[in-house]
Amino acid sequence: MDFEAKYEISRAADFICTRNFTKVALQFPDELLKDSVRVVKVLRNKIRSIKGESDVGLYVMADTTYGSCCVDEVGASHIGADCVIHYGHTCLSPTSTLPAFLVFGKASVSVFDCAGNLYKSVLDKGKPVLVLFGLEYAYAIQSLQETLAAKSSTLSNSPSEQQIQFADVMNPVLNPSDYKTSNEHLGPSGTYTHGRSDGMTTGMQYSIGGLTWNLAEGCKMEDYMLFWIGSDNSAFANAVLTFNDCEIVRYDATENRLLSDTSNQRRILKRRYYLVEKAKDANIVGILVGTLGVAGYLHMIHQMKELITKVGKKAYTFVMGRPNPAKLANFPECDVFIYVSCAQTALLDSKEFLAPVITPFEAMLAFNSGSQWTGTYVMEFRNLISSSPVEPGKLSEEARFSFLKGGYVEDVDIQVAENGENNTGRALALADATEKALQLRDKYPNTLVNGTAKSGAEYLASRSYHGLDMYSIDSTAEPFFIGRSGKASGYKDESENRTS
Amino acid sequence: MVKFTVEGLRRIMDLKHNIRNMSVIAHVDHGKSTLTDSLVAAAGIIAQEVAGDVRMTDTRQDEAERGITIKSTGISLYYEMSDDSLKNYKGERQGNEYLINLIDSPGHVDFSSEVTAALRITDGALVVVDCVEGVCVQTETVLRQALGERIRPVLTVNKMDRCFLELQVEGEEAYQTFQRVIENANVIMATYEDSLLGDVQVYPEKGTVAFSAGLHGWAFTLTNFAKMYASKFGVDEGKMMERLWGENFFDPATKKWTNRSTGSSTCKRGFVQFCYEPIKQIISTCMNDQKDKLWPMLQKLGVVMKAEEKDLMGKALMKRVMQTWLPASSALLEMMIFHLPSPAKAQKYRVENLYEGPLDDMYANAIRNCDPEGPLMLYVSKMIPASDKGRFFAFGRVFSGKVATGMKVRIMGPNYVPGQKKDLYVKSVQRTVIWMGKRQESVEDVPCGNTVAMVGLDQFITKNATLTNEKEVDAHPIRAMKFSVSPVVRVAVQCKVASDLPKLVEGLKRLAKSDPMVVCTIEESGEHIIAGAGELHLEICLKDLQEDFMGGAEIIQSDPVVSFRETVLEKSSRIVMSKSPNKHNRLYMEARPMEEGLAEAIDDGRIGPRDDPKNRSKILSEEFGWDKDLAKKIWCFGPETTGPNMVVDMCKGVQYLNEIKDSVVAGFQWASKEGALAEENMRGICFEVCDVVLHADAIHRGGGQIIPTARRVIYASQLTAKPRLLEPVYLVEIQAPEQALGGIYGVLNQKRGHVFEELQRPGTPLYNIKAYLPVIESFGFSSTLRAATSGQAFPQSVFDHWDMMPSDPLENGTQAANLVADIRKRKGLKEQMTPLSEFEDKL
């Protein structure tokens, strides 16, 4: 395939020139990094040919901190870039500060074979079909539609036009202001829930991972069969989990095969259900910041914190880049982590993790008492922002049933909070606090078990090792001596040795 | 025909010396419920005529269909003693009216948790034993439980009618049978004797043994006959009673009592001469319709029949006559009133078993004195589904004080720790209810010594709890019940329609509440699991779940699943090492099997993480041969910090070791919960930390580096120590006639079971067989057994122990390897086990 066409060099150059950007960050995922030098060279030539002289600085960024599908705004701001051009697979999550141009890339697909398969499945199922696709196949949709039209005109029992619907691709240019305006527009009305916008008059508008489509009024997603063109990647998993009521087939373009087995995805869904149940038992919750770019992430983190403290649990926020088991195990006091990130990197499930990692949607299910797992699943946290958080007073009085322990457990702090309302006087509050302080401890001080901790400090206190013993019995003054100084990579005394 | 009113009943509830709380316990099918019904008949709830045909106590439809009791049922009975019969009663009493709170419990071993719950709230037990089948395994189990709770037993030898009608045995033979039954029961009771409870054995001559025919509604104790003959012989009643049992013979020809048979044909044992023969005579006269002979005999005995009853024929006539002559209710109720303790009496010695707190505080004293003016102490032993769906009555016993409608109570759950707020609620009782047969009646309040049901607390009590007054913040809870069976059989459920999930979740919550034993959990894979004591138990639970708790929504259930355990056979072949993710830390470990019996000791709580270390090391060194110092180096138990696996520190002089202890423990808790073979719990493995190499900078040896490494090295040491699977094994007891033995052995062989005891029941053609049977093979066992023995054998299975499967799960194609593959598949794991090389690192 033509290199310039694949990387949409001319469109990118247009984007840069028309908006007069002078510092441009080019973001490549690892698998495309090998082409980066060529892209820069070609792009520079192109810009020069448009503008004459080139005062545009092009910078290549690789190895992003978070998922490579999101625009790395923090990385770009290190060089003070005006905009980002993102190459490769993307989740099209809106950016918060920088404009971005997204190049999806083009993967080869046999349009004829795909059309044949699509045509066949429409006839077989007798259901309306919605065609969704990986963004790398977006360029081929036009020709696919044409092939299909040609094909149906030759046959008598052709499916009608409405039976096949194609999703549209969103604008590959992301402007941070877009989100703000749309948020103002949508925020107060609060209808932007569960992936639906407020386009009530024209039916329902849906969007997922950069694809949008409208369903006519009276149609439900469950009535459609989803036909996915693309590989089994996170975008597909996202679609399957979000529309888990729908029948889904996947056309694998690299192998030219139709696959209808989604049992793996269903298993994932069940597993998520388990994680939600597990999260309900958590006392200490860690919020993992999984993005610094996706618009609204700060809002989400605040909302999560509010939710967690409201149900009487303790929340800690962690920024640690892409989480791995070793990093998370440094915080064994956390019973569960909430990973706030873009929809396509949100699912982190490895048995290697000491504590489960869940999405904000799952956290809402787990911590909002009264909310139930109904099967609907929301991956995109932006769709949750405006959905109503806990309404105070809605807390059911019943003790909560824990399926992990197989019995009723009570969340202590809720009761405390209830009682706290009655205690108006400060004196009583003090008495309450002392009552807690004077608890009956274990009979033997040397037991091997510590109770469950309610906060990080409590956890630390219950550990057998608290760090260095400050209260040494020996009260005589220690002679002090000078330790070493410098950086861990080379202390001062070490570097002296090295030079000598 | 209700003979009493709620007000009347409520009035007697205050007479704490005139209350008897008792449970009816026995082996399955020995006639508990039938016998209970004839007692209920006497309290006037159902007509005398239908007693024996309709079971009053089995209120569920499936109970009636299967002919077995599933849930225990409580009934309050009212009985008025005559002054004459009370003249020998030495204990305290307030008038002649008595209130008997009776709980009928199931006999099938799968439901023995119901028995446990019933025993907790009663003071006495009526042990029912079939006179032909004798003392069976379940009789023994429940007796042991009863005595453990300090419940005083009385015995009734039931199904007497079989002796007369079916077997037609002679007097002396029958006496020998009864004598043996009583002896067997006494042997068990003597084993569990308790100094505070005193002599708990039963003696016919003391009136603590009754002879009954539940189906026909008659029963007697020797007191009945002694009274009858005392005046005739002109001797004292007590003396007469002694003569009616044991080695006392009477020859009517010489009119002399002797201590052994004189050999004369007319010389017979007192019991035979004066009790057995007259009954036999009456029964045969009735059965042969010799009415001309019958009426004079009845007249002599002082039995007055109603006119319309005189027209009855055969069996109906016999039943009627016997019921009138020797009514079951008066014999049994009088026996209970005479020999079972009142709450006031029983709580004096039961307080030690019941109360967790100091035995000299006001709560202990209130329980001890059964003080209605004292602080409320109430134990909720079970939750009973109410007629409006989804709600439950909290059913329990008031040990002191009074519980009243509208009263605010402190609910202390099983996990409550005094002084903390965990598992503690303050709520008000909406209504207090007592049972009168099938009817529930609201009462203002219920004083101590009685059983009570409460409305409005079900949202705060899972299965059981202790209630006290709102203000009594210092009260300790009443000790939790200990069950004799454990839930080893599990089944995964899911709903047919995905959107029914909320219903399923709600249903499971209610199921967990309604049954003391069932456990509802969730698997890692997201499947809902119901665990029960046995196949029958699960079947009933699933039926309840679907019909009562989910409103008929359809559910899909998996095949029963058995949980296994992972263990090791030998010490690890070498010391294994794993490196941390940053390669700067190395952990060296070894696994070895625990000493025999140690895992059980941990299970029983004899050794545990909360012990005094000194005690622990004493037990370990004395019983299990541990080194005294080593016993002090146990880092933790696991899984769940209490499980039967350990980590022991064997390192010498390692720097920073105490710093990583918490991390190693966290890794161990995780690994011991999900073993390397099939992610089943580990059991009986002792991990020894042999050496540790750590990075000098604290930041490089944090939890993130150590926890995953500890997990890996534990897996590696497990895999190098010849890992094995443990499977749960049932102890099966089967009672069957000789001709069925062949079939039993056949079925047991086919199911990998083995018989370790076969005994003929003396005096009967019946054999008692005890065998071990793997739980996994037990599904469908009882139906196969019934088919193979044409319905003559009925097994009772109860979880006994974990048994090691001999085959190597690491070798392809072995039974254990196939099992591991199956489990992994079910759990959605990779079918291939993770190889050792993934866990072990090379230096």
Side-chain angles (χ1 to χ4, degrees), chain A residues 89-116:
Chain A
H89 176 75
T90 176
C91 54
L92 268 171
S93 305
T95 55
S96 49
T97 53
L98 290 177
F101 180 76
L102 301 154
V103 179
F104 302 140
K106 285 168 188 167
S108 66
V109 57
S110 155
V111 172
F112 187 77
D113 193 56
C114 178

Side-chain angles (χ1 to χ4, degrees), chain A residues 273-274 330 352 410 415 465, chain B residues 424-425 523 528 659 670 704:
Chain A
Y273 173 61
Y274 166 77
N330 277 323
E352 300 296 307
E410 80 313 328
Q415 268 215 329
Y465 179 74
Chain B
L424 174 75
Y425 299 92
E523 281 266 285
H528 282 286
E659 214 170 305
W670 185 11

Side-chain angles (χ1 to χ4, degrees), chain A residues 41-94:
Chain A
K41 204 188 268 168
V42 178
L43 190 61
R44 182 164 288 140
N45 290 338
K46 195 84 188 170
I47 295 169
R48 198 169 286 152
S49 71
I50 298 173
K51 284 184 118 178
E53 37 52 275
S54 169
D55 57 346
V56 179
L58 297 177
Y59 298 85
V60 173
M61 296 196 300
D63 191 25
T64 52
T65 333
Y66 303 103
S68 58
C69 63
C70 302
V71 176
D72 184 6
E73 290 175 81
V74 176
S77 59
H78 278 308
I79 48 152
D82 308 319
C83 80
V84 181
I85 299 185
H86 178 276
Y87 292 92
H89 176 75
T90 176
C91 54
L92 268 171
S93 305

Side-chain angles (χ1 to χ4, degrees), chain A residues 270-271 273-274 326 329-330 351-354 372-373 397 399 401 403 406 408 410 415 444 448-449 464-465, chain B residues 423-425 459-460 462 501 505 520-526 528 609-610 612 658-659 662 670 679 703-704:
Chain A
K270 270 186 141 177
R271 167 88 185 153
Y273 173 61
Y274 166 77
N330 277 323
K351 295 221 50 143
E352 300 296 307
F353 287 113
L354 182 61
Q372 272 173 331
W373 178 276
E397 282 218 2
F401 189 88
F403 276 107
Y408 281 74
E410 80 313 328
Q415 268 215 329
Y444 307 111
L448 299 175
V449 190
S464 63
Y465 179 74
Chain B
D423 215 358
L424 174 75
Y425 299 92
Q459 287 177 312
F460 309 98
T462 317
L501 185 70
V505 169
C520 299
T521 49
I522 188 165
E523 281 266 285
E524 290 261 327
S525 59
H528 282 286
R610 287 180 203 283
D612 182 3
N658 51 355
E659 214 170 305
D662 293 291
W670 185 11
E679 299 203 349

